[in-house]
Amino acid sequence: MAFHIPQKIAQMTIDAGLRKSNLPLRSMLILGFLGGAFISLGYLLDIRVTASLPEEWGSFNGFLGASVFPLGLILIILAGGELLTGNMMSVSMAFLGKKISLQKLLINWFWITIANFIGAVFVAYIFGHIVGLTESGPNLNQTVEFARAKIDHTFLQAFFSAIGCNWLVGLAVWLSYGSEEMSGKILAIWFPIMGFVAIGFQHIVANMFVIPAAIFIGQATWSEFLGNFVPVFLGNAVGGSIFVSCFYWLAYSGELPPSANNEKQVRSNQD
């Protein structure tokens, strides 16, 4: 199974961040919508798998749910999609590599946040509320339990939990760049994502699904969603940009080969 050494992955991540930051707005919005929807489908699968499991199974229930949740990022990486938490890592790496400006980084994060939110709420409302997949029996109870577990954290708890989450999500994306084969990418994604879900860390896009799903059944409010959004967004940004991108940039920046890509070349290719 072919794979790349970390120094090569660092350069590939810079190039990926450069490509992402130069996507046309239409592509950002479409791919961002898909990214939010795919993560939400993974979360919906988690709810449906675990809701009716016997309580005496204990933490094994959480392991089973965590085992199916990676569906979302697998679809994003292999089928195509843009995910805010992944971009917090890869686009930051392009910024650290002086391939893009801070303005381009912030513009990318802004539009992907909006598009991910629309995709996540779409799944929560259409499949959760209209179809009723999160609104009856044990599925309702599980949805509310998951949502309350996120909302009931203090600001600092949510912030630090979100750092842990995007440390692992960023590493999942990083490792996926290291494989040339679909099977390798799936394995690279599966373990870190399973880990963050089993631990119970907070993921901004996953929360865009589960908290609105609880809102649609009257078990949470939009003010509670906003109170969770701020610390989780900030924590995810630190986890991806500092604990993955910055650390690896500091470790490998002196060993990176010169990239054939630069912002001017990418822009000219799009004209």
Side-chain angles (χ1 to χ4, degrees):
M1 186 178 293
F3 68 94
H4 300 293
I5 62 172
Q7 292 89 334
K8 176 63 174 177
I9 296 174
Q11 186 60 61
M12 295 173 69
T13 303
I14 291 173
D15 294 341
L18 176 59
R19 290 193 301 272
K20 290 172 179 292
S21 69
N22 283 286
L23 284 171
L25 179 58
R26 181 181 67 179
S27 297
M28 283 191 195
L29 293 177
I30 294 172
L31 294 172
F33 173 88
L34 292 175
F38 290 162
I39 291 295
S40 301
L41 289 172
Y43 211 151
L44 182 59
L45 179 59
D46 181 347
I47 292 170
R48 300 289 292 185
V49 165
T50 60
S52 299
L53 294 177
E55 291 186 11
E56 55 267 26
W57 286 12
S59 60
F60 186 65
N61 292 354
F63 172 75
L64 290 177
S67 297
V68 299
F69 189 99
L71 169 70
L73 190 59
I74 289 169
L75 290 174
I76 289 168
I77 296 295
L78 298 186
E82 290 290 306
L83 182 67
L84 176 62
T85 47
N87 287 18
M88 286 173 167
M89 186 277 291
S90 59
V91 179
S92 294
M93 196 73 170
F95 170 73
L96 291 170
K98 297 181 172 57
K99 299 298 181 180
I100 63 170
S101 65
L102 179 61
Q103 181 184 25
K104 294 208 75 167
L105 178 147
L106 295 176
I107 288 172
N108 178 269
W109 287 11
F110 174 80
W111 287 116
I112 298 304
T113 299
I114 298 298
N116 281 175
F117 177 76
I118 295 171
V121 172
F122 174 85
V123 173
Y125 187 77
I126 298 300
F127 299 130
H129 182 62
I130 299 298
V131 179
L133 296 178
T134 60
E135 300 212 355
S136 62
N139 299 311
L140 184 153
N141 296 333
Q142 188 78 317
T143 300
V144 174
E145 181 180 339
F146 281 160
R148 295 311 314 182
K150 309 303 182 185
I151 293 169
D152 291 343
H153 275 179
T154 66
F155 187 99
L156 282 179
Q157 286 174 328
F159 173 74
F160 286 113
S161 176
I163 290 176
C165 169
N166 216 24
W167 195 352
L168 288 172
V169 175
L171 285 171
V173 176
W174 175 278
L175 291 174
S176 76
Y177 293 156
S179 175
E180 294 290 345
E181 301 172 351
M182 274 197 171
S183 58
K185 289 181 182 295
I186 290 170
L187 286 173
I189 293 165
W190 191 81
F191 282 98
I193 300 303
M194 180 205 68
F196 104 72
V197 177
I199 292 169
F201 286 148
Q202 296 228 31
H203 186 279
I204 187 67
V205 182
N207 290 7
M208 290 174 180
F209 163 76
V210 74
I211 298 176
I215 291 171
F216 296 143
I217 51 181
Q219 298 297 317
T221 66
W222 287 110
S223 63
E224 288 178 313
F225 171 79
L226 183 60
N228 174 267
F229 178 91
V230 174
V232 175
F233 182 96
L234 295 174
N236 282 171
V238 171
S241 63
I242 303 298
F243 281 71
V244 183
S245 293
C246 186
F247 285 179
Y248 281 135
W249 170 253
L250 292 173
Y252 297 132
S253 59
E255 305 176 54
L256 299 182
S259 173
N261 295 321
N262 59 55
E263 190 168 357
K264 182 177 179 181
Q265 286 176 321
V266 171
R267 187 183 298 113
S268 67
N269 289 339
Q270 294 173 343
D271 293 338

